[in-house]
Amino acid sequence: MAVTLEQAQRVGYTCLKALLRFAFMVANNLVAIPSYVLYLIMLQPLRVLDSKSFWYIEGVLFKWLLAMVASWGWWAGYTVVEWGDDVKAVSEDEAMVLVNHQATGDVCTLMMCLQDKGTVVRQMMWLMDHIFKYTNFGIVSLIHGDFFIRQGRAHRDQQLVLLKEHLEKYYRSRNRKWIVLFPEGGFLRKRRETSQAFAKKNNLPFLKHVTLPRLGATQVILETLVAPQENGTPAGRDAVIKESKSKGLQWVIDTTIAYPKGEPIDIQTWILGYRQPTVTHVHYRIFPVKDVPAEPEALTHWLYQRFIEKEDLLTHFYKTGAFPPLQGQTKAISREMTLSNLWLICIQSFAFLSGGMWYCIFQYFYHCLF
């Protein structure tokens, strides 16, 4: 079949746009990430004198970095519409965010849609696969205090012990508020077959749009971060909780990401922008942590129920293009998530100006020394 001139022009334009976007992303990373690291190295005396102020500044820089990632998708037309409960209402409280996992773009989507949720982004902790430690963003996540978890049965018990120690050491000492995890333990396309086989063997529902979640990390987080009065169970490091006057973990935010036609966006698409503008839909449901059972068997059932509900939500979305209304509502209400282009430009400009400043400083010292 012959290619028309119009088709050739369209392909050429898409390739040129992708190349330019990739070049911009590389330049963005080369100035923004080293600048983040260098600013924090320079601020180490403040960390000793006033740890709270140091981690406040680090959080602001961290939020700006995530905003830069969000801008790559925003400017490509990859926007977000939000449904369900309004999570802004609990943005200042401690919360655990449970998210279904379809592709690498899920993280980028969250980086975007959480930008306008008050202090959430700068005070959040991520649980992610250990492979992300070796990406360009790995050094940022290490400094920020995110936790990299190794998947697989052979590592499971040790990783849960390390997670508990990590939470006790870093979560409240760095004033974290939200913790984000993907309980399925991997991408949908990789885990679906195994999950369905497990479900069949254990007489559990057959799921197509999500997989059955794993209990381990969720249980450790609840045991470690929930205050003593919640759930009737003691929290880890009670002294730290009293010291910081924290109310402990108060909410579980069940978050469901849906892509039109079930076609998720991956990180390559987010960067290169070769896909047509797409609206990703994110549904939130908020549960008080006091209503979440602590006993492992009951917690497993509760967690399974959340993902069975996700299955129903996604089935409804793929049939109708919208999520169903919340209980007690007659009509589902959606909200378009927006970002300020001026704000994004200011952040990008700050990154490139910082990169230029550090370059000049190194050049100056280099000439002084040599």
Side-chain angles (χ1 to χ4, degrees):
M1 182 176 169
V3 178
T4 66
L5 178 60
E6 184 181 349
Q7 289 173 326
Q9 288 176 333
R10 192 182 304 120
V11 171
Y13 171 74
T14 301
C15 291
L16 177 61
K17 184 177 72 171
L19 183 62
L20 291 173
R21 284 177 58 87
F22 181 73
F24 176 78
M25 184 276 295
V26 171
N28 203 176
N29 275 270
L30 288 175
V31 296
I33 294 176
S35 293
Y36 166 88
V37 174
L38 290 168
Y39 277 126
L40 294 182
I41 289 174
M42 294 294 292
L43 288 170
Q44 286 304 303
L46 178 63
R47 183 177 181 178
V48 175
L49 297 171
D50 187 352
S51 177
K52 185 177 180 180
S53 295
F54 173 85
W55 288 114
Y56 174 87
I57 295 170
E58 184 279 332
V60 171
L61 294 174
F62 183 79
K63 179 177 181 177
W64 289 355
L65 281 177
L66 268 58
M68 291 178 205
V69 176
S71 73
W72 305 341
W74 180 257
W75 287 333
Y78 304 148
T79 58
V80 172
V81 167
E82 299 176 307
W83 303 75
D85 293 325
D86 184 2
V87 295
K88 285 183 180 179
V90 299
S91 61
E92 296 302 316
D93 299 332
E94 290 188 27
M96 176 172 62
V97 184
L98 307 175
V99 192
N100 61 313
H101 209 8
Q102 301 173 69
T104 47
D106 297 342
V107 175
C108 300
T109 296
L110 289 173
M111 288 180 178
M112 175 187 286
C113 65
L114 296 179
Q115 282 291 326
D116 67 343
K117 307 299 186 293
T119 62
V120 164
V121 174
R122 68 176 176 83
Q123 292 182 288
M124 73 195 314
M125 179 182 285
W126 296 76
L127 265 65
M128 58 188 76
D129 193 281
H130 80 288
I131 197 68
F132 285 100
K133 186 188 297 185
Y134 308 104
T135 66
N136 60 317
F137 212 77
I139 183 65
V140 174
S141 290
L142 279 170
I143 293 172
H144 184 69
D146 296 329
F147 184 76
F148 299 94
I149 191 163
R150 294 181 66 90
Q151 304 292 346
R153 188 174 300 175
H155 306 287
R156 192 170 299 160
D157 292 341
Q158 181 194 27
Q159 290 299 296
L160 295 179
V161 172
L162 292 174
L163 172 59
K164 182 176 178 62
E165 293 174 352
H166 185 89
L167 293 173
E168 291 176 339
K169 186 174 182 180
Y170 298 118
Y171 191 80
R172 293 204 169 90
S173 67
R174 299 185 181 184
N175 195 28
R176 299 295 173 243
K177 290 290 183 71
W178 282 25
I179 183 164
V180 181
L181 68 153
F182 301 90
E184 291 165 292
F187 298 138
L188 174 64
R189 67 179 186 277
K190 293 183 177 181
R191 292 210 61 245
R192 179 159 40 199
E193 187 176 336
T194 303
S195 175
Q196 289 173 347
F198 178 84
K200 184 178 181 180
K201 182 179 179 181
N202 292 274
N203 197 30
L204 294 168
F206 183 85
L207 307 177
K208 295 191 299 181
H209 306 307
V210 295
T211 64
L212 289 169
R214 294 170 176 173
L215 177 67
T218 303
Q219 185 176 18
V220 168
I221 291 168
L222 291 171
E223 288 177 349
T224 310
L225 300 182
V226 174
Q229 68 271 20
E230 304 285 3
N231 264 349
T233 60
R237 293 181 65 94
D238 297 345
V240 175
I241 293 175
K242 292 174 184 176
E243 217 174 89
S244 63
K245 299 181 181 178
S246 168
K247 296 179 181 178
L249 202 68
Q250 294 173 267
W251 310 100
V252 175
I253 303 174
D254 187 29
T255 304
T256 305
I257 299 176
Y259 299 95
K261 300 179 182 179
E263 299 174 355
I265 299 176
D266 55 27
I267 188 66
Q268 297 95 324
T269 306
W270 194 269
I271 291 169
L272 301 177
Y274 51 77
R275 184 167 165 178
Q276 290 297 309
T278 301
V279 179
T280 301
H281 297 258
V282 181
H283 184 279
Y284 305 106
R285 191 172 175 204
I286 303 173
F287 295 88
V289 78
K290 63 183 177 61
D291 295 340
V292 180
E295 196 275 326
E297 186 175 342
L299 178 59
T300 300
H301 176 74
W302 185 90
L303 197 57
Y304 281 177
Q305 285 302 119
R306 301 290 73 76
F307 278 77
I308 292 169
E309 288 174 7
K310 285 181 185 292
E311 176 78 11
D312 294 338
L313 285 170
L314 290 168
T315 298
H316 188 278
F317 177 84
Y318 294 139
K319 285 181 179 178
T320 66
F323 283 112
L326 293 171
Q327 188 174 5
Q329 293 180 349
T330 56
K331 183 181 178 181
I333 300 172
S334 63
R335 305 170 294 276
E336 288 189 18
M337 185 267 159
T338 59
L339 290 175
S340 166
N341 286 316
L342 178 60
W343 179 61
L344 294 175
I345 290 171
C346 288
I347 290 172
Q348 295 284 7
S349 299
F350 176 77
F352 282 100
L353 288 171
S354 295
M357 179 192 71
W358 291 116
Y359 176 77
C360 291
I361 291 173
F362 283 127
Q363 283 288 93
Y364 173 78
F365 282 107
Y366 177 82
H367 288 301
C368 288
L369 293 173
F370 302 102

PDB file of all heavy atoms in Angstrom, residues 173-190:
ATOM      1  N   SER A 173      10.722  11.204  60.778  1.00  0.00           N
ATOM      2  CA  SER A 173      11.867  12.099  60.967  1.00  0.00           C
ATOM      3  C   SER A 173      11.988  13.080  59.807  1.00  0.00           C
ATOM      4  O   SER A 173      12.569  14.164  59.958  1.00  0.00           O
ATOM      5  CB  SER A 173      13.162  11.285  61.106  1.00  0.00           C
ATOM      6  OG  SER A 173      13.476  10.635  59.883  1.00  0.00           O
ATOM      7  N   ARG A 174      11.425  12.717  58.638  1.00  0.00           N
ATOM      8  CA  ARG A 174      11.433  13.614  57.473  1.00  0.00           C
ATOM      9  C   ARG A 174      10.048  14.193  57.199  1.00  0.00           C
ATOM     10  O   ARG A 174       9.807  14.752  56.140  1.00  0.00           O
ATOM     11  CB  ARG A 174      11.970  12.870  56.249  1.00  0.00           C
ATOM     12  CG  ARG A 174      13.406  12.395  56.452  1.00  0.00           C
ATOM     13  CD  ARG A 174      14.004  11.768  55.217  1.00  0.00           C
ATOM     14  NE  ARG A 174      15.353  11.316  55.494  1.00  0.00           N
ATOM     15  CZ  ARG A 174      16.183  10.789  54.594  1.00  0.00           C
ATOM     16  NH1 ARG A 174      15.773  10.660  53.328  1.00  0.00           N
ATOM     17  NH2 ARG A 174      17.403  10.401  54.924  1.00  0.00           N
ATOM     18  N   ASN A 175       9.159  14.034  58.172  1.00  0.00           N
ATOM     19  CA  ASN A 175       7.809  14.619  58.114  1.00  0.00           C
ATOM     20  C   ASN A 175       7.035  14.163  56.879  1.00  0.00           C
ATOM     21  O   ASN A 175       6.406  14.972  56.179  1.00  0.00           O
ATOM     22  CB  ASN A 175       7.886  16.152  58.145  1.00  0.00           C
ATOM     23  CG  ASN A 175       6.538  16.792  58.460  1.00  0.00           C
ATOM     24  OD1 ASN A 175       5.698  16.192  59.135  1.00  0.00           O
ATOM     25  ND2 ASN A 175       6.318  17.997  57.955  1.00  0.00           N
ATOM     26  N   ARG A 176       7.061  12.865  56.620  1.00  0.00           N
ATOM     27  CA  ARG A 176       6.293  12.338  55.497  1.00  0.00           C
ATOM     28  C   ARG A 176       4.824  12.222  55.892  1.00  0.00           C
ATOM     29  O   ARG A 176       4.495  11.972  57.046  1.00  0.00           O
ATOM     30  CB  ARG A 176       6.844  10.982  55.060  1.00  0.00           C
ATOM     31  CG  ARG A 176       8.298  11.047  54.579  1.00  0.00           C
ATOM     32  CD  ARG A 176       8.421  11.867  53.315  1.00  0.00           C
ATOM     33  NE  ARG A 176       9.818  12.075  52.922  1.00  0.00           N
ATOM     34  CZ  ARG A 176      10.392  13.264  52.863  1.00  0.00           C
ATOM     35  NH1 ARG A 176       9.719  14.340  53.183  1.00  0.00           N
ATOM     36  NH2 ARG A 176      11.641  13.381  52.479  1.00  0.00           N
ATOM     37  N   LYS A 177       3.927  12.388  54.902  1.00  0.00           N
ATOM     38  CA  LYS A 177       2.492  12.348  55.163  1.00  0.00           C
ATOM     39  C   LYS A 177       1.791  11.237  54.373  1.00  0.00           C
ATOM     40  O   LYS A 177       0.941  10.537  54.906  1.00  0.00           O
ATOM     41  CB  LYS A 177       1.855  13.693  54.808  1.00  0.00           C
ATOM     42  CG  LYS A 177       2.232  14.840  55.752  1.00  0.00           C
ATOM     43  CD  LYS A 177       1.596  14.661  57.115  1.00  0.00           C
ATOM     44  CE  LYS A 177       1.892  15.822  58.047  1.00  0.00           C
ATOM     45  NZ  LYS A 177       1.176  17.048  57.642  1.00  0.00           N
ATOM     46  N   TRP A 178       2.104  11.110  53.097  1.00  0.00           N
ATOM     47  CA  TRP A 178       1.468  10.092  52.263  1.00  0.00           C
ATOM     48  C   TRP A 178       2.505   9.062  51.838  1.00  0.00           C
ATOM     49  O   TRP A 178       3.662   9.410  51.570  1.00  0.00           O
ATOM     50  CB  TRP A 178       0.857  10.721  51.004  1.00  0.00           C
ATOM     51  CG  TRP A 178      -0.447  11.427  51.234  1.00  0.00           C
ATOM     52  CD1 TRP A 178      -0.905  11.966  52.396  1.00  0.00           C
ATOM     53  CD2 TRP A 178      -1.456  11.678  50.249  1.00  0.00           C
ATOM     54  NE1 TRP A 178      -2.139  12.547  52.215  1.00  0.00           N
ATOM     55  CE2 TRP A 178      -2.505  12.387  50.903  1.00  0.00           C
ATOM     56  CE3 TRP A 178      -1.583  11.391  48.895  1.00  0.00           C
ATOM     57  CZ2 TRP A 178      -3.656  12.801  50.240  1.00  0.00           C
ATOM     58  CZ3 TRP A 178      -2.730  11.807  48.225  1.00  0.00           C
ATOM     59  CH2 TRP A 178      -3.756  12.495  48.896  1.00  0.00           C
ATOM     60  N   ILE A 179       2.079   7.810  51.776  1.00  0.00           N
ATOM     61  CA  ILE A 179       2.954   6.746  51.286  1.00  0.00           C
ATOM     62  C   ILE A 179       2.224   6.015  50.158  1.00  0.00           C
ATOM     63  O   ILE A 179       1.068   5.614  50.318  1.00  0.00           O
ATOM     64  CB  ILE A 179       3.380   5.788  52.417  1.00  0.00           C
ATOM     65  CG1 ILE A 179       4.350   4.735  51.887  1.00  0.00           C
ATOM     66  CG2 ILE A 179       2.191   5.143  53.130  1.00  0.00           C
ATOM     67  CD1 ILE A 179       5.098   4.000  53.001  1.00  0.00           C
ATOM     68  N   VAL A 180       2.865   5.893  49.012  1.00  0.00           N
ATOM     69  CA  VAL A 180       2.244   5.359  47.799  1.00  0.00           C
ATOM     70  C   VAL A 180       2.823   3.984  47.489  1.00  0.00           C
ATOM     71  O   VAL A 180       4.046   3.815  47.435  1.00  0.00           O
ATOM     72  CB  VAL A 180       2.483   6.294  46.595  1.00  0.00           C
ATOM     73  CG1 VAL A 180       1.818   5.741  45.345  1.00  0.00           C
ATOM     74  CG2 VAL A 180       1.970   7.698  46.896  1.00  0.00           C
ATOM     75  N   LEU A 181       1.944   3.008  47.266  1.00  0.00           N
ATOM     76  CA  LEU A 181       2.420   1.679  46.893  1.00  0.00           C
ATOM     77  C   LEU A 181       1.479   1.029  45.885  1.00  0.00           C
ATOM     78  O   LEU A 181       0.310   1.383  45.768  1.00  0.00           O
ATOM     79  CB  LEU A 181       2.577   0.776  48.114  1.00  0.00           C
ATOM     80  CG  LEU A 181       1.312   0.334  48.849  1.00  0.00           C
ATOM     81  CD1 LEU A 181       1.565  -0.990  49.550  1.00  0.00           C
ATOM     82  CD2 LEU A 181       0.885   1.368  49.879  1.00  0.00           C
ATOM     83  N   PHE A 182       2.039   0.074  45.162  1.00  0.00           N
ATOM     84  CA  PHE A 182       1.310  -0.696  44.154  1.00  0.00           C
ATOM     85  C   PHE A 182       1.226  -2.135  44.663  1.00  0.00           C
ATOM     86  O   PHE A 182       2.140  -2.931  44.432  1.00  0.00           O
ATOM     87  CB  PHE A 182       2.026  -0.640  42.804  1.00  0.00           C
ATOM     88  CG  PHE A 182       2.194   0.759  42.258  1.00  0.00           C
ATOM     89  CD1 PHE A 182       3.322   1.516  42.560  1.00  0.00           C
ATOM     90  CD2 PHE A 182       1.220   1.320  41.448  1.00  0.00           C
ATOM     91  CE1 PHE A 182       3.480   2.804  42.060  1.00  0.00           C
ATOM     92  CE2 PHE A 182       1.364   2.601  40.932  1.00  0.00           C
ATOM     93  CZ  PHE A 182       2.491   3.349  41.245  1.00  0.00           C
ATOM     94  N   PRO A 183       0.137  -2.488  45.364  1.00  0.00           N
ATOM     95  CA  PRO A 183       0.072  -3.795  46.041  1.00  0.00           C
ATOM     96  C   PRO A 183       0.089  -5.013  45.112  1.00  0.00           C
ATOM     97  O   PRO A 183       0.318  -6.125  45.584  1.00  0.00           O
ATOM     98  CB  PRO A 183      -1.257  -3.721  46.810  1.00  0.00           C
ATOM     99  CG  PRO A 183      -1.583  -2.278  46.908  1.00  0.00           C
ATOM    100  CD  PRO A 183      -1.047  -1.668  45.659  1.00  0.00           C
ATOM    101  N   GLU A 184      -0.181  -4.818  43.816  1.00  0.00           N
ATOM    102  CA  GLU A 184      -0.168  -5.966  42.902  1.00  0.00           C
ATOM    103  C   GLU A 184       1.238  -6.526  42.717  1.00  0.00           C
ATOM    104  O   GLU A 184       1.406  -7.668  42.301  1.00  0.00           O
ATOM    105  CB  GLU A 184      -0.755  -5.561  41.551  1.00  0.00           C
ATOM    106  CG  GLU A 184      -2.249  -5.274  41.615  1.00  0.00           C
ATOM    107  CD  GLU A 184      -2.733  -4.536  40.383  1.00  0.00           C
ATOM    108  OE1 GLU A 184      -2.348  -3.360  40.206  1.00  0.00           O
ATOM    109  OE2 GLU A 184      -3.496  -5.127  39.596  1.00  0.00           O
ATOM    110  N   GLY A 185       2.258  -5.715  42.992  1.00  0.00           N
ATOM    111  CA  GLY A 185       3.627  -6.210  42.918  1.00  0.00           C
ATOM    112  C   GLY A 185       4.187  -6.318  41.515  1.00  0.00           C
ATOM    113  O   GLY A 185       5.194  -7.010  41.301  1.00  0.00           O
ATOM    114  N   GLY A 186       3.589  -5.654  40.553  1.00  0.00           N
ATOM    115  CA  GLY A 186       4.081  -5.702  39.186  1.00  0.00           C
ATOM    116  C   GLY A 186       3.025  -5.229  38.210  1.00  0.00           C
ATOM    117  O   GLY A 186       1.887  -4.928  38.588  1.00  0.00           O
ATOM    118  N   PHE A 187       3.400  -5.159  36.933  1.00  0.00           N
ATOM    119  CA  PHE A 187       2.467  -4.697  35.908  1.00  0.00           C
ATOM    120  C   PHE A 187       1.381  -5.737  35.646  1.00  0.00           C
ATOM    121  O   PHE A 187       1.626  -6.945  35.723  1.00  0.00           O
ATOM    122  CB  PHE A 187       3.210  -4.399  34.608  1.00  0.00           C
ATOM    123  CG  PHE A 187       4.234  -3.305  34.728  1.00  0.00           C
ATOM    124  CD1 PHE A 187       5.476  -3.435  34.116  1.00  0.00           C
ATOM    125  CD2 PHE A 187       3.970  -2.149  35.446  1.00  0.00           C
ATOM    126  CE1 PHE A 187       6.423  -2.436  34.211  1.00  0.00           C
ATOM    127  CE2 PHE A 187       4.916  -1.140  35.551  1.00  0.00           C
ATOM    128  CZ  PHE A 187       6.147  -1.290  34.927  1.00  0.00           C
ATOM    129  N   LEU A 188       0.221  -5.244  35.280  1.00  0.00           N
ATOM    130  CA  LEU A 188      -0.935  -6.103  35.000  1.00  0.00           C
ATOM    131  C   LEU A 188      -0.605  -7.179  33.971  1.00  0.00           C
ATOM    132  O   LEU A 188      -0.916  -8.359  34.164  1.00  0.00           O
ATOM    133  CB  LEU A 188      -2.101  -5.236  34.506  1.00  0.00           C
ATOM    134  CG  LEU A 188      -3.351  -5.972  34.020  1.00  0.00           C
ATOM    135  CD1 LEU A 188      -4.004  -6.757  35.157  1.00  0.00           C
ATOM    136  CD2 LEU A 188      -4.352  -4.978  33.416  1.00  0.00           C
ATOM    137  N   ARG A 189       0.018  -6.794  32.858  1.00  0.00           N
ATOM    138  CA  ARG A 189       0.276  -7.748  31.781  1.00  0.00           C
ATOM    139  C   ARG A 189       1.224  -8.872  32.212  1.00  0.00           C
ATOM    140  O   ARG A 189       1.179  -9.969  31.665  1.00  0.00           O
ATOM    141  CB  ARG A 189       0.858  -7.025  30.561  1.00  0.00           C
ATOM    142  CG  ARG A 189       2.237  -6.462  30.764  1.00  0.00           C
ATOM    143  CD  ARG A 189       2.784  -5.765  29.530  1.00  0.00           C
ATOM    144  NE  ARG A 189       4.164  -5.355  29.690  1.00  0.00           N
ATOM    145  CZ  ARG A 189       4.564  -4.248  30.285  1.00  0.00           C
ATOM    146  NH1 ARG A 189       3.661  -3.421  30.780  1.00  0.00           N
ATOM    147  NH2 ARG A 189       5.852  -3.943  30.384  1.00  0.00           N
ATOM    148  N   LYS A 190       2.065  -8.596  33.209  1.00  0.00           N
ATOM    149  CA  LYS A 190       3.038  -9.592  33.661  1.00  0.00           C
ATOM    150  C   LYS A 190       2.463 -10.513  34.738  1.00  0.00           C
ATOM    151  O   LYS A 190       2.887 -11.673  34.841  1.00  0.00           O
ATOM    152  CB  LYS A 190       4.294  -8.904  34.195  1.00  0.00           C
ATOM    153  CG  LYS A 190       5.101  -8.181  33.136  1.00  0.00           C
ATOM    154  CD  LYS A 190       6.363  -7.593  33.731  1.00  0.00           C
ATOM    155  CE  LYS A 190       7.228  -6.922  32.669  1.00  0.00           C
ATOM    156  NZ  LYS A 190       8.473  -6.365  33.226  1.00  0.00           N
TER     157      LYS A 190
END
